[in-house]
Amino acid sequence: MFRTVAELIDITKSKNIPISEVMILKEIEETGKSREEIFAQMGKNLEVMEAAVLRGIKEDVKSHSGLTGGDAVLLQKYIESGKSLSGTTLLDAVSKAVATNEVNAAMGTICATPTAGSAGVVPGTLFGLKEKLNPTKEQMVRFLFTSGAFGYVVANNASISGAAGGCQAEVGSATGMAAAAIVELAGGTPDQSAHAMAIALKNMLGLVCDPVAGLVEVPCVKRNAIGASTAVVAADMSLAGITSRIPCDEVIDAMYEIGQRMPSAFKETAEGGLAATPTARALEAKIFGAALAKERS
Amino acid sequence: MKYRSVFDIIGPVMIGPSSSHTAGAARIGRVARQLFGKAPKTVTIRLYGSFAKTYKGHGTDVALIGGLLDFDTFDERIVQAVRLAEETGMAVEFIEEDEHTDHPNTVRLHLKDNEDELDIVGVSVGGGKIEITELNGFEISLSGSHPALLVVHQDRYGAVATVASILAEHEVNISHMEVSRKLKGQVALMVIETDQEVSQAIATDCLARPNMLNVAVLA
């Protein structure tokens, strides 16, 4: 039905339907399930996301390693103080992305979007924008189908695995997916969704996957935080009428090429980047009793 | 297309922290368990690539054991899997391999009890999606992009027809099928990819028929 973002956008134009609807029709065609079944299944995923967000912003969640937890609560308190520089909506999205990843790091229940390490960006932006845009339950579920449509193209033409393509393939993809879905939720066109995705993903290109001690904690949680902010800003830029000079599909191809040529030390092996810093190796030794590898000299 | 459903992208619902290293690992462990058909006594697990480097941090070991205990990706008992395995008398050994594999997240599991053995190679391709590339020395080409049914059976006439007719009864269409065996009349393997999802009821029905040894469903 569609393999590329260009084909996806063409269908929305020829049939005069939103991106979310194309994804739903494709799912019906592919699996033979009914629309109601598919909608209900996505509705359940939405509930899991909401529960994780609420847990993360209210409870003092701590991971087993002690490396992450509690930052979403700090952000919520800061928002309440009224002193935030970047604004309530943006920071709320950021705090809810953090909440999700903190719950994930604590071996809590989350919904992978597209992966667990990048699970914060999509629900973070959705629940962060809820107050401002006041969406119906159906619109919130559609947000997930729209994110899914862009993620589907990325997964099939590039990668959504940090081990295969670096963090750009995980948090990068999630950020692009969220940006595109925000545009649809805010009333933008499918073309604007594609530009938002392109703008967001361009700013994630080259991002390496270098988890400290091999844990999905540092820097993953904070990369989801900034990914959420990038998604909202990219959506705003696109809604303002700004376009990406490089089409979305070519940005995805570039991401794939960069991932292919990225050394394996930067692809979820904990052998390079932040994972190989003296502090990271010291943390590793503390957590596991001994460092997994020598620090970078 | 590797990823076929929107729920491959928005999903699975799972216990953290990693879709490839935790959820994917749990799924591989569970397929192994289902094909073995019972709880194994001992399991030797060889980890390759990123799995070998970071399995401790991602809880890959815990998740594989959880899968071997027949837990799904969202089953909260995964967190206690190591203790639960010990309690049920399942001994699991992990070996970190240096060898280079096609995909960085590859694992080979060898399951054993007093009567049976099973050898399986699984790959976690990203976002919780898995592929099975080898089973008991049979190289199998499961794309992972379609639902699939794996059936270990006695090499007898009618076995293939039995499974095919069960699928037909449930209005499930076969898109690709492979049958392989080592020796005539011995154990054989059916690998069936389908257009529609294969329910657990279909698997149970297959297993109840003559000559069927083990059945597993890959979503």
Side-chain angles (χ1 to χ4, degrees):
Chain A
M1 205 168 170
F2 64 92
R3 300 179 73 90
T4 62
V5 170
E7 285 171 12
L8 174 64
I9 303 303
D10 278 348
I11 297 170
T12 66
K13 286 177 183 166
S14 66
K15 293 192 175 175
N16 198 22
I17 51 176
I19 292 161
S20 52
E21 187 59 24
V22 180
M23 191 72 241
I24 293 165
L25 291 175
K26 179 168 168 44
E27 190 70 15
I28 292 171
E29 184 188 285
E30 196 70 52
T31 63
K33 288 188 197 162
S34 71
R35 170 183 293 268
E36 291 69 34
E37 244 180 301
I38 292 165
F39 234 87
Q41 193 177 345
M42 196 60 97
K44 276 187 189 156
N45 287 358
L46 180 69
E47 282 165 22
V48 169
M49 291 177 193
E50 185 167 26
V53 164
L54 290 177
R55 190 181 157 201
I57 59 172
K58 285 184 179 155
E59 283 177 34
D60 185 25
V61 178
K62 276 268 179 282
S63 69
H64 295 298
S65 72
L67 286 178
T68 54
D71 288 353
V73 173
L74 284 181
L75 271 173
Q76 282 293 322
K77 283 187 186 151
Y78 179 66
I79 293 167
E80 276 166 33
S81 77
K83 291 180 194 158
S84 102
L85 305 176
S86 45
T88 301
T89 305
L90 189 72
L91 219 49
D92 197 34
V94 168
S95 75
K96 287 169 178 169
V98 170
T100 303
N101 284 89
E102 286 182 340
V103 168
N104 179 58
M107 289 193 96
T109 307
I110 56 96
C111 178
T113 52
T115 66
S118 59
V121 180
V122 169
T125 53
L126 175 55
F127 288 100
L129 291 167
K130 198 178 163 190
E131 205 164 306
K132 176 120 185 161
L133 298 174
N134 203 16
T136 61
K137 170 95 192 270
E138 161 150 357
Q139 282 176 311
M140 294 182 81
V141 174
R142 282 190 177 273
F143 184 97
L144 301 180
F145 281 110
T146 305
S147 313
F150 282 88
Y152 172 86
V153 173
V154 176
N156 283 308
N157 293 299
S159 170
I160 52 166
S161 152
C167 190
Q168 55 164 8
E170 294 206 27
V171 178
S173 300
T175 302
M177 288 158 58
I182 294 166
V183 167
E184 185 177 303
L185 186 64
T189 66
D191 272 321
Q192 287 175 323
S193 280
H195 283 298
M197 161 104 187
I199 292 166
L201 185 54
K202 282 194 292 188
N203 282 280
M204 292 287 183
L205 291 181
L207 196 60
V208 300
C209 180
D210 50 355
V212 169
L215 298 161
V216 192
E217 300 196 45
V218 179
C220 321
V221 176
K222 292 191 186 78
R223 282 192 184 148
N224 274 267
I226 308 293
S229 72
T230 298
V232 177
V233 173
D236 256 341
M237 286 171 74
S238 179
L239 287 164
I242 297 170
T243 57
S244 172
R245 292 285 178 264
I246 309 295
C248 192
D249 287 312
E250 292 183 34
V251 177
I252 293 168
D253 290 345
M255 189 267 269
Y256 180 65
E257 188 218 341
I258 293 165
Q260 289 294 100
R261 295 168 70 171
M262 192 181 279
S264 77
F266 304 126
K267 290 195 278 195
E268 213 172 342
T269 52
E271 287 177 335
L274 295 172
T277 57
T279 300
R281 292 301 183 210
L283 287 169
E284 200 171 271
K286 211 172 130 193
I287 295 162
F288 295 119
L292 300 173
K294 282 193 184 128
E295 71 187 54
R296 196 176 47 206
S297 52
Chain B
M1 305 289 264
K2 250 193 164 102
Y3 295 79
R4 170 176 170 272
S5 164
V6 68
F7 297 105
D8 293 337
I9 310 298
I10 309 297
V13 170
M14 55 167 281
I15 304 298
S18 165
S19 48
S20 54
H21 290 61
T22 317
R27 281 179 165 169
I28 293 170
R30 194 158 187 234
V31 167
R33 163 66 183 259
Q34 289 180 348
L35 284 170
F36 197 61
K38 55 192 164 177
K41 283 232 159 41
T42 63
V43 186
T44 307
I45 300 178
R46 296 173 188 279
L47 301 160
Y48 300 85
S50 172
F51 264 7
K53 305 278 184 205
T54 65
Y55 74 98
K56 281 183 192 155
H58 284 118
T60 307
D61 45 355
V62 178
L64 281 163
I65 296 171
L68 287 164
L69 291 167
D70 210 14
F71 300 160
D72 209 332
T73 56
F74 51 81
D75 195 319
E76 288 175 3
R77 289 175 296 175
I78 283 180
V79 182
Q80 272 90 43
V82 174
R83 182 176 57 81
L84 293 172
E86 274 173 22
E87 282 173 14
T88 57
M90 186 194 295
V92 186
E93 182 195 10
F94 287 91
I95 299 167
E96 297 159 36
E97 296 282 357
D98 286 331
E99 196 187 321
H100 184 80
T101 48
D102 288 343
H103 193 281
N105 294 333
T106 300
V107 58
R108 177 185 289 276
L109 296 99
H110 192 82
L111 291 71
K112 257 178 94 166
D113 69 0
N114 296 335
E115 292 88 38
D116 297 301
E117 284 185 52
L118 180 97
D119 199 66
I120 186 168
V121 177
V123 180
S124 183
V125 296
K129 211 163 169 47
I130 63 162
E131 292 177 12
I132 302 298
T133 55
E134 203 184 305
L135 185 65
N136 285 343
F138 294 115
E139 266 193 34
I140 55 179
S141 58
L142 262 183
S143 64
S145 61
H146 285 82
L149 184 66
L150 300 181
V151 183
V152 182
H153 61 102
Q154 288 293 344
D155 182 29
R156 300 275 190 282
Y157 64 84
V160 172
T162 302
V163 174
S165 67
I166 290 170
L167 287 169
E169 277 165 31
H170 287 83
E171 297 180 6
V172 172
N173 187 47
I174 296 172
S175 57
H176 179 84
M177 181 163 181
E178 284 176 23
V179 182
S180 36
R181 64 176 191 198
K182 286 272 162 64
L183 282 168
K184 188 177 165 187
Q186 302 279 310
V187 174
L189 173 71
M190 264 181 259
V191 179
I192 302 168
E193 286 188 305
T194 61
D195 288 329
Q196 292 80 19
E197 277 183 29
V198 181
S199 66
Q200 205 53 51
I202 294 177
T204 310
D205 196 357
C206 290
L207 193 56
R209 305 301 176 96
N211 298 318
M212 303 300 160
L213 300 174
N214 287 307
V215 180
V217 174
L218 281 179

